[in-house]
Amino acid sequence: MGELCFVGLGLRDERDLSLRALETLRGCHRVFLEEYTSRSTPGTVERLEALLGRPVELLDRADVEAETPILSALAAQEKVALVVVGEPFAATTHVSLRLAAQDHGHRWKVLHNASILTAGPSLAGLSLYKFGRTCSLPTPHENYRPRSPYEVLAQNTRAGSHSLVLLDLDPGASRYLSAPEALRLLASLETEWHEGVLPPGRRVVALARVGSDDPQVVVGPWEEVSRADLGPPLHALILPGEPLHFIEEDALSRWPRAPPGPPVGGALP
Amino acid sequence: MGELCFVGLGLRDERDLSLRALETLRGCHRVFLEEYTSRSTPGTVERLEALLGRPVELLDRADVEAETPILSALAAQEKVALVVVGEPFAATTHVSLRLAAQDHGHRWKVLHNASILTAGPSLAGLSLYKFGRTCSLPTPHENYRPRSPYEVLAQNTRAGSHSLVLLDLDPGASRYLSAPEALRLLASLETEWHEGVLPPGRRVVALARVGSDDPQVVVGPWEEVSRADLGPPLHALILPGEPLHFIEEDALSRWPRAPPGPPVGGALP
């Protein structure tokens, strides 16, 4: 019987690992890491290898979804770790892997870590308790333009709940949806479905590089924020549910508004 | 100008600190820790002092809310840290402190960590994206029986969203609301307000000691779970929004149901 340990990497790199996680990883026979559901800072794998004194095996999406590399390692070894950026079970695929390991008679455990779901709202200064359902905004393709993220935002808006909007990313192709791009996409969905998700002047919060040494937060009407330059990924958005608590108002007032100017970044399909 | 660094301790003890947090704390002139919004494992303060080689000053609720100890330290020193169990800005009081520090011209930064808000759902195997607003259930007193947590649960239930219910705790008095007690409390509120939060047989998930080496999860109809013995605190509850995704169903099916038997624990006021 093997043991599969899901280890949260946190928001950035190997130095976000806890002392407990580091000790656990050092006690594992095989250490895998996947970066397709999110991504760590470049060089993390190499630095983690140096820290552990053992190889770290990088898995791509197909490897994790096929479950073969990890189930084979479990069958042959006692302890196997999968390091996941953020909190390990934010993506369904990791829960599936845990169920598959159980089906094969293996034990599992989890070492939790910071997630954008709590870190983003915390950084902005908005109450975690007031967030409704989170949604993930995909880059639209010709035949793929799902309505569900917009519906979640409409429902939260009607309920006065805050919304966290996670943005599509494809680390393998180095493609990351930016917050300004996401706002222009939401504006086009609003034009199509007009349920009040992005009425003129609605205040939004754009987040960039949460958990890094240079996080950035910009607050303002969506038209202004959609012209802001927030720098490198990862980005996220918050649509605050109005009215805000006075402490939330105070916290948002400390962040800069987006600088006026021409649109930044490329057009969306 | 001083710098106030909010450091998330994570779910349990000093070994949940990240390598980055440890390094940051070692570079601070004063290190404070508060345990009234949640609590760490006994002995954490002493072990953290040993790890840092410097004293850790314990703050109670009045100290944090008055803001005086920390603002005084900031006025006199360059770098001050406040260590908070879980994710630092889950409680309004810490956002207020950050605003006060800014008002006095100080810089601030945050080192995020795991929170029960994401760790609880992750452990259970429920989709983080399907959670509506979180609520915190207070122990009712004679003149204090707020309706708002019940309203949040009713709203989430109607929307088919999952609900995370955090439970009242008073670490100073070593009083912790248990999951079975909370269910009996919710049942009494249901009798009073009958909005379908806890109809007969509704499936609930009780969590205990999330993030520890012996986390416990019990799933079943609330009447059974309200008789379960989940051991020491901290506890939390999840009311899943139905219907569940098949992976969620599969994940919940792996947890034990509550053992049948007489009620465990004392009656609530």
Side-chain angles (χ1 to χ4, degrees):
Chain A
M1 185 169 73
E3 179 175 293
L4 177 54
C5 186
F6 294 87
V7 175
L9 180 66
L11 297 164
R12 188 175 172 198
D13 63 28
E14 78 289 348
R15 289 172 60 235
D16 292 316
L17 286 170
S18 67
L19 305 182
R20 191 184 311 280
L22 193 61
E23 185 184 286
T24 300
L25 291 176
R26 285 186 169 140
C28 285
H29 300 89
R30 298 275 291 274
V31 176
F32 295 96
L33 185 145
E34 72 86 353
E35 288 202 307
Y36 80 87
T37 52
S38 188
R39 65 141 213 195
S40 60
T41 307
T44 295
V45 174
E46 294 73 15
R47 293 190 304 268
L48 180 56
E49 288 183 326
L51 199 59
L52 298 178
R54 66 165 67 245
V56 170
E57 303 169 61
L58 202 58
L59 297 180
D60 64 17
R61 179 171 198 142
D63 290 329
V64 179
E65 289 183 350
E67 300 171 352
T68 324
I70 287 179
L71 292 179
S72 303
L74 281 170
Q77 312 279 343
E78 275 185 48
K79 298 186 94 176
V80 176
L82 175 61
V83 181
V84 179
V85 180
E87 162 73 18
F89 296 120
T92 314
T93 176
H94 303 125
V95 181
S96 294
L97 180 60
R98 146 184 154 186
L99 299 173
Q102 281 186 287
D103 286 339
H104 287 79
H106 306 298
R107 284 190 307 265
W108 66 274
K109 65 176 185 176
V110 55
L111 294 180
H112 303 285
N113 209 327
S115 165
I116 184 66
L117 272 79
T118 45
S122 285
L123 178 66
L126 293 171
S127 170
L128 284 162
Y129 292 79
K130 266 184 67 185
F131 277 77
R133 283 198 192 194
T134 297
C135 76
S136 189
L137 196 65
T139 308
H141 300 292
E142 275 176 33
N143 299 313
Y144 183 64
R145 195 179 170 86
R147 191 180 160 112
S148 58
Y150 181 87
E151 284 295 340
V152 167
L153 297 175
Q155 184 179 34
N156 287 343
T157 300
R158 283 192 297 270
S161 298
H162 303 325
S163 301
L164 176 65
V165 188
L166 302 181
L167 306 182
D168 199 18
L169 76 172
D170 182 354
S174 285
R175 286 202 316 105
Y176 304 93
L177 194 58
S178 76
E181 284 171 335
L183 283 170
R184 297 199 290 277
L185 169 58
L186 283 176
S188 80
L189 300 180
E190 178 66 23
T191 305
E192 192 168 349
W193 295 321
H194 38 80
E195 289 193 35
V197 166
L198 219 54
R202 177 167 185 181
R203 175 167 55 174
V204 301
V205 180
L207 306 163
R209 299 174 302 288
V210 175
S212 78
D213 284 339
D214 67 334
Q216 197 176 345
V217 181
V218 166
V219 177
W222 70 264
E223 298 90 336
E224 286 183 26
V225 176
S226 71
R227 291 192 295 266
D229 182 359
L230 285 137
L234 301 174
H235 293 187
L237 276 177
I238 295 174
L239 307 188
E242 308 283 351
L244 268 58
H245 185 272
F246 71 94
I247 293 178
E248 295 180 313
E249 282 289 355
D250 194 350
L252 287 195
S253 74
R254 312 294 176 115
W255 297 113
R257 280 175 73 124
V264 173
L268 276 168
Chain B
M1 185 168 72
E3 179 175 293
L4 176 54
C5 185
F6 294 87
V7 176
L9 181 66
L11 296 164
R12 189 176 172 197
D13 63 28
E14 79 289 348
R15 288 173 59 237
D16 292 315
L17 286 169
S18 67
L19 306 182
R20 190 184 311 281
L22 193 62
E23 185 185 287
T24 300
L25 291 176
R26 284 187 170 139
C28 285
H29 301 89
R30 298 275 292 274
V31 176
F32 296 96
L33 185 145
E34 73 85 354
E35 288 202 307
Y36 80 88
T37 50
S38 188
R39 65 140 212 196
S40 59
T41 308
T44 295
V45 173
E46 295 73 16
R47 292 191 303 270
L48 181 56
E49 287 184 326
L51 199 59
L52 298 178
R54 67 166 65 242
V56 171
E57 304 169 61
L58 202 58
L59 297 180
D60 63 17
R61 179 173 197 140
D63 290 330
V64 178
E65 290 183 348
E67 300 171 351
T68 324
I70 287 179
L71 292 179
S72 303
L74 280 170
Q77 313 279 342
E78 275 184 47
K79 298 186 92 176
V80 176
L82 175 62
V83 181
V84 179
V85 179
E87 163 73 18
F89 296 121
T92 314
T93 176
H94 302 125
V95 181
S96 294
L97 180 60
R98 147 184 154 185
L99 299 172
Q102 281 186 286
D103 286 339
H104 287 78
H106 305 299
R107 285 189 306 264
W108 67 274
K109 66 176 186 175
V110 55
L111 294 179
H112 303 285
N113 209 326
S115 164
I116 184 66
L117 271 80
T118 44
S122 285
L123 179 66
L126 293 170
S127 169
L128 285 161
Y129 292 78
K130 266 186 66 184
F131 277 76
R133 283 198 192 195
T134 297
C135 75
S136 189
L137 196 66
T139 308
H141 301 292
E142 275 176 34
N143 299 313
Y144 183 66
R145 196 179 171 85
R147 191 181 161 111
S148 58
Y150 182 88
E151 283 295 340
V152 167
L153 297 175
Q155 185 179 32
N156 287 344
T157 301
R158 282 192 298 269
S161 299
H162 303 325
S163 301
L164 175 66
V165 188
L166 302 180
L167 306 182
D168 198 19
L169 75 171
D170 182 354
S174 285
R175 285 200 318 105
Y176 305 93
L177 193 59
S178 76
E181 284 171 335
L183 284 169
R184 296 199 290 278
L185 169 58
L186 283 176
S188 80
L189 299 180
E190 178 65 23
T191 307
E192 193 168 350
W193 295 320
H194 37 81
E195 289 193 35
V197 167
L198 219 54
R202 177 168 185 180
R203 175 168 54 175
V204 301
V205 180
L207 307 163
R209 298 173 304 287
V210 175
S212 79
D213 284 339
D214 67 333
Q216 198 176 344
V217 181
V218 167
V219 177
W222 70 263
E223 298 89 336
E224 286 182 25
V225 177
S226 72
R227 291 192 296 265
D229 183 358
L230 285 136
L234 301 174
H235 292 186
L237 277 176
I238 295 173
L239 307 188
E242 308 283 352
L244 268 60
H245 185 271
F246 71 94
I247 293 178
E248 295 181 312
E249 282 290 353
D250 194 351
L252 288 194
S253 74
R254 313 293 177 116
W255 298 113
R257 281 176 70 125
V264 171
L268 276 168

